Amino acid sequence: MDRRNFLKTTAAVCAATLPFKNIKAEETEMKTEFSGVLVDTTRCIGCRSCEVACSKEHDLYVPDIKNDSALESLRTTSEKQWTVVNRFETEKGEVFVKRQCLHCWQPACTAACLTNAMYKTKEGPVTWDGDKCMGCRYCMVSCPFDIPKFEYNEWNPKIQKCNMCFERLQQGKKPACVEACPTDALMFGSKRQLMEVARHRVYNYPDKYVHKIYGEHDVGGTGWLYLSAIPFEQIGFSTDLGTTPYPEYTKEFLFSVPLVLFSIPAFLLGLNLLTNRKNELSEKQGWKNE
Amino acid sequence: MNNTTAITSDFKRFIRFFLQELKPKGKWLTPFNIISIPVILLGTIILFIRFTQGLGSVTNLSQEFPWGFWIGFDVVIGVAFAGGAYIITFVVYVMKVEKYHSIVRVTVLNGLLAYIFYAGALVLDLGRPWHIINPIIGNSFGYNSVLFLVAWHFLLYMLAEFVEFSPVIAQWAQLEKVRKFVSALTLGAVIFGITLSMLHQSGLGALFLMAKPKIHPLWYSEFIPILFFVSSIFAGLSMIIFEGTISHKVFRNLIGEKSQHSFEEIILGMAKGAAISMFVYYFFKALIFIHEQQWELINDFWGYWYLVEVIGFVLIPCFMFAYAVKTRNTTIIRLAAIITLIGIILNRLNISVIAFKWDAVNKYYPSWEEIIVTLMVVFTEIWVFRWIVTRMPVFSKQH
Ligand code: SF4
Ligand code: SF4
């Protein structure tokens, strides 16, 4: 048995005997499918209607989209804007890319959060709860896409990030950005539906798209998926994040915790008894010269 | 009824005694006071601004660098330095090595205070600290979070250390019954404390496991937790040597001639422990380096920086310890301890700040306010330490 297998078995044993949450099991029991959005960057015209719709929906800073100067430089999402559109000059001309939280299937941010303020809802969106968050910013350290943003200049700061319009989804509506998009660059649906559409497009227009759907497997699969005409590295995506879900990286450590918690005290106690006995023996035999 | 009146009168006596003990002893205008008082005052003002106007008003933290000096230095390094307590209690209470008994109390006190102040500094860094209660009272348990574990272990460990130290407090307050009771708890607290220490020392490293793409590959490894644990051993030992040396100078009148002398022996023993654990650590580092085939990474600034840390601040002090033990040279040991401590600072800062987003355009460096607050935390700790050792039987060895 190699190390990984050994850890897995012990982990399984622990998970069975301890009240620790078993993430995997929960997932398979789930009935609802995660929703997400497919972003077809070949259809995006950079009008930034989604930025406006998002900010209006969530009472954030509403950008002036008549003025294109914001596109001059690469922007990241911020504590004032949950989504931004960036422009890239590429061999195939201008390409626009909308960025926001990808709503990972197994998010690093929720695994990091010690209060469950970051929470993966069963509908798919990853949401943030201000009544729970203690502002440790561990979610920011962990998110591979640097999505959560923190209000550094507030006495009562919030973590700001896209929540896929969770409130709207619950009313049966689509996310605000999807509804605002005039060119159907954004499509809302379950991941299965979205993957079908995405594959269909790549299959039917093999010259138009690169043969990768970003988010299909990256970081274990994300809720938001991307199609592109040019390699993803050239439009600001990290393609070297791997396909392992990020929570996996800490799982071995977390599973070893209950083991240590039970075995080490027993070991120490044993050691203590042993040395006690040894000391007694040596005292009896008069070895102890003090 | 008799019992309750006895307890209340005991309690009243204790309060009176405590108030009396609060008064300062000794001279006021010492160099330490002259430096530390203004720093503490300034730090208080900075903290006031920080809590009214947000972290951004006094720190250089950014969206790219959510954790800076307060986490990287105060918490991560402070806790590593406090590792001495679990090692000494292990040696004395579990392995029953009598030689080190005379430094148990002061080391445990140091550990306890370090956790209260340095792990406590975490609270200064929290954006919404009033919600710190959530993961504690079970409002919302984030079981899957490493930070959840670390935070809980901090708390429990403080409790364990407090129990270990409480006989001294009881002795000082002349509460004989209480002393007997808490003394009986010592072994349990020690065993619990060692286990918790192993977990949260490594847990501090595990915090960075999910930051995989952000940490320079020379510092990232899936074995960070083990490296953190092993290095906490020699960090703790070096800290005892360092602190002990200073204490033996400053509090000479409190420490008897005899223990002055035995302290030399103790230092030698600890240097041996440090040398061995450092060698294990170095070996581990080398294994990881070879296994991950990181040769190509060594030939640029980050490679050299890595070598400085691993050779200059681990291997060299390791040899110094070994050599000094052989020749019984305590001066070299003290020097090696200082180099080792600097090495720990480098290593922890590298992982949390320096080699974190090593290629970022706007690198993070601490603001002067962050440094003042850190100094404030250190100075306040020393104040409390001094207050306690000049009143309670910390250095003496009566049981
Ligand atoms: S992209 Fe980042 S913030 Fe969004 S779900 Fe994934 S880990 Fe969390
Ligand atoms: S900052 Fe808030 S949401 Fe992020 S990990 Fe900490 S408690 Fe959770």
Side-chain angles (χ1 to χ4, degrees):
Chain A
M1 211 159 35
D2 65 43
R3 193 177 62 92
R4 203 166 289 270
N5 265 332
F6 170 70
L7 280 170
K8 280 218 180 100
T9 352
T10 38
V13 173
C14 289
T17 51
L18 288 163
F20 272 72
K21 229 201 248 170
N22 194 333
I23 314 166
K24 277 263 164 59
E26 233 178 47
E27 217 167 78
T28 42
E29 275 166 20
M30 221 136 47
K31 302 259 151 44
T32 28
E33 276 184 88
F34 287 156
S35 313
V37 173
L38 173 65
V39 186
D40 191 333
T41 58
T42 64
R43 295 186 179 191
C44 179
I45 53 169
C47 70
R48 298 163 64 208
S49 313
C50 52
E51 287 186 18
V52 173
C54 173
S55 288
K56 283 198 175 141
E57 180 69 32
H58 301 104
D59 277 333
L60 300 165
Y61 160 78
V62 181
D64 172 19
I65 54 169
K66 285 192 207 88
N67 185 343
D68 259 0
S69 61
L71 289 172
E72 306 280 287
S73 55
L74 284 186
R75 291 174 298 159
T76 56
T77 61
S78 69
E79 73 275 27
K80 297 196 182 75
Q81 266 190 285
W82 287 358
T83 185
V84 291
V85 176
N86 278 322
R87 179 173 62 198
F88 292 88
E89 301 293 342
T90 71
E91 68 220 40
K92 293 203 177 171
E94 279 182 343
V95 173
F96 298 96
V97 183
K98 174 189 187 302
R99 296 309 296 263
Q100 73 297 308
C101 170
L102 292 173
H103 300 276
C104 309
W105 275 33
Q106 294 187 49
C109 59
T110 60
C113 185
L114 73 167
T115 62
N116 286 338
M118 277 294 178
Y119 185 69
K120 178 80 179 163
T121 58
K122 60 180 191 313
E123 292 85 356
V126 174
T127 57
W128 175 82
D129 181 350
D131 289 335
K132 292 183 172 170
C133 172
M134 58 189 231
C136 66
R137 308 189 293 291
Y138 187 29
C139 49
M140 302 170 70
V141 171
S142 303
C143 169
F145 305 103
D146 276 333
I147 290 299
K149 296 284 147 64
F150 183 78
E151 295 178 335
Y152 281 104
N153 291 311
E154 297 290 334
W155 72 269
N156 185 12
K158 296 195 204 63
I159 294 282
Q160 297 282 12
K161 80 164 204 48
C162 160
N163 66 352
M164 220 202 282
C165 290
F166 186 56
E167 329 80 44
R168 290 175 59 99
L169 297 199
Q170 289 201 306
Q171 296 161 12
K173 292 193 249 174
K174 290 176 184 177
C177 53
V178 176
E179 216 159 78
C181 183
T183 63
D184 279 337
L186 306 177
M187 182 186 168
F188 177 75
S190 78
K191 181 152 180 180
R192 201 153 34 120
Q193 292 166 340
L194 297 178
M195 278 306 298
E196 257 167 36
V197 175
R199 286 220 184 87
H200 189 76
R201 285 188 200 166
V202 176
Y203 186 74
N204 281 338
Y205 307 96
D207 300 332
K208 187 176 169 192
Y209 294 103
V210 291
H211 290 215
K212 175 180 166 66
I213 301 164
Y214 195 90
E216 182 181 8
H217 300 300
D218 303 77
V219 302
T222 58
W224 283 57
L225 303 167
Y226 284 82
L227 285 175
S228 168
I230 52 160
F232 280 99
E233 306 80 85
Q234 293 175 32
I235 51 170
F237 285 84
S238 333
T239 45
D240 52 1
L241 296 174
T243 54
T244 314
Y246 269 58
E248 291 286 331
Y249 292 117
T250 53
K251 222 169 243 178
E252 287 187 6
F253 174 77
L254 288 173
F255 278 139
S256 66
V257 168
L259 277 188
V260 172
L261 219 45
F262 285 110
S263 60
I264 295 292
F267 171 73
L268 292 175
L269 206 62
L271 211 60
N272 178 263
L273 294 177
L274 219 69
T275 43
N276 265 350
R277 230 179 100 68
K278 223 168 80 194
N279 284 353
E280 265 168 36
L281 277 180
S282 50
E283 251 164 49
K284 254 189 216 148
Q285 293 167 14
W287 286 350
K288 206 168 179 188
N289 38 12
E290 241 188 293
Chain B
M1 284 306 98
N2 235 347
N3 240 340
T4 29
T5 41
I7 288 173
T8 43
S9 80
D10 251 8
F11 187 70
K12 269 190 203 138
R13 186 180 57 77
F14 176 71
I15 295 290
R16 227 176 299 128
F17 172 66
F18 183 75
L19 289 178
Q20 196 188 335
E21 288 281 87
L22 265 185
K23 281 186 212 128
K25 282 184 181 175
K27 274 200 306 228
W28 261 97
L29 284 177
T30 58
F32 173 70
N33 287 3
I34 291 171
I35 298 170
S36 64
I37 291 175
V39 169
I40 293 176
L41 289 180
L42 189 58
T44 318
I45 298 170
I46 294 172
L47 283 183
F48 178 76
I49 300 173
R50 175 252 169 276
F51 279 109
T52 48
Q53 286 166 40
L55 277 161
S57 59
V58 297
T59 69
N60 281 348
L61 296 173
S62 61
Q63 305 297 354
E64 277 193 291
F65 288 92
W67 283 356
F69 207 57
W70 287 353
I71 297 284
F73 194 88
D74 302 16
V75 181
V76 178
I77 295 173
V79 167
F81 282 176
Y86 82 87
I87 298 156
I88 288 301
T89 51
F90 171 74
V91 173
V92 172
Y93 292 111
V94 180
M95 300 304 289
K96 299 279 166 65
V97 184
E98 270 303 307
K99 185 165 116 188
Y100 302 101
H101 213 137
S102 60
I103 60 161
V104 162
R105 288 181 164 190
V106 63
T107 314
V108 169
L109 175 64
N110 263 318
L112 175 63
L113 292 181
Y115 274 84
I116 292 176
F117 282 91
Y118 303 136
L122 190 68
V123 177
L124 305 180
D125 200 71
L126 293 181
R128 306 159 80 89
W130 42 92
H131 286 163
I132 197 172
I133 203 77
N134 281 341
I136 298 169
I137 58 172
N139 217 340
S140 31
F141 274 168
Y143 295 111
N144 303 318
S145 166
V146 179
L147 191 57
F148 174 77
L149 256 147
V150 170
W152 257 97
H153 287 184
F154 277 174
L155 269 182
L156 292 176
Y157 186 62
M158 280 186 215
L159 206 68
E161 296 249 273
F162 182 75
V163 171
E164 286 167 34
F165 189 68
S166 53
V168 184
I169 303 179
Q171 196 178 333
W172 161 72
Q174 290 149 27
L175 301 168
E176 191 45 29
K177 270 192 215 129
V178 180
R179 193 192 70 79
K180 279 223 178 89
F181 175 72
V182 285
S183 293
L185 298 177
T186 302
L187 183 65
V190 162
I191 288 181
F192 190 50
I194 296 169
T195 315
L196 289 173
S197 290
M198 290 179 73
L199 286 173
H200 69 238
Q201 292 287 1
S202 51
L204 277 178
L207 282 181
F208 295 95
L209 286 175
M210 279 199 287
K212 188 168 190 228
K214 302 179 190 174
I215 296 175
H216 190 283
L218 281 172
W219 281 274
Y220 184 89
S221 140
E222 56 175 314
F223 299 109
I224 293 184
I226 298 177
L227 291 173
F228 264 54
F229 168 63
V230 177
S231 53
S232 78
I233 298 177
F234 54 83
L237 290 173
S238 300
M239 198 64 201
I240 300 178
I241 298 174
F242 179 70
E243 256 166 3
T245 305
I246 294 177
S247 288
H248 277 73
K249 288 225 167 71
V250 179
F251 302 110
R252 178 167 308 173
N253 51 338
L254 293 173
I255 303 165
E257 247 334 284
K258 196 158 156 262
S259 40
Q260 285 280 17
H261 190 71
S262 69
F263 188 62
E264 305 264 297
E265 282 302 312
I266 289 176
I267 282 191
L268 283 171
M270 276 186 298
K272 208 182 201 171
I276 296 170
S277 53
M278 285 176 101
F279 195 75
V280 171
Y281 177 81
Y282 178 79
F283 189 71
F284 237 125
K285 275 264 187 193
L287 268 188
I288 292 169
F289 184 81
I290 294 164
H291 183 78
E292 307 263 317
Q293 301 180 344
Q294 295 173 325
W295 282 286
E296 315 96 74
L297 294 173
I298 220 70
N299 209 359
D300 62 0
F301 168 75
W302 293 103
Y304 302 145
W305 183 233
Y306 174 81
L307 289 180
V308 167
E309 181 199 311
V310 177
I311 307 237
F313 289 92
V314 180
L315 197 60
I316 291 182
C318 171
F319 284 145
M320 285 171 74
F321 275 129
Y323 171 79
V325 170
K326 253 212 172 117
T327 55
R328 299 182 63 86
N329 185 333
T330 50
T331 318
I332 295 188
I333 293 181
R334 293 188 167 111
L335 198 64
I338 291 171
I339 300 177
T340 308
L341 291 176
I342 298 174
I344 291 289
I345 295 178
L346 276 185
N347 173 258
R348 300 302 199 261
L349 282 186
N350 271 333
I351 289 176
S352 60
V353 175
I354 302 174
F356 186 89
K357 300 220 173 136
W358 71 99
D359 48 0
V361 188
N362 297 314
K363 280 293 296 180
Y364 162 89
Y365 52 89
S367 67
W368 66 267
E369 290 100 326
E370 283 171 82
I371 294 173
I372 292 286
V373 169
T374 300
L375 285 177
M376 168 194 180
V377 172
V378 175
F379 287 155
T380 327
E381 201 241 88
I382 297 177
W383 270 78
V384 176
F385 178 79
R386 189 176 58 177
W387 186 85
I388 293 178
V389 295
T390 47
R391 282 166 183 78
M392 302 185 192
V394 174
F395 288 117
S396 55
K397 192 198 157 188
Q398 333 132 346
H399 293 277

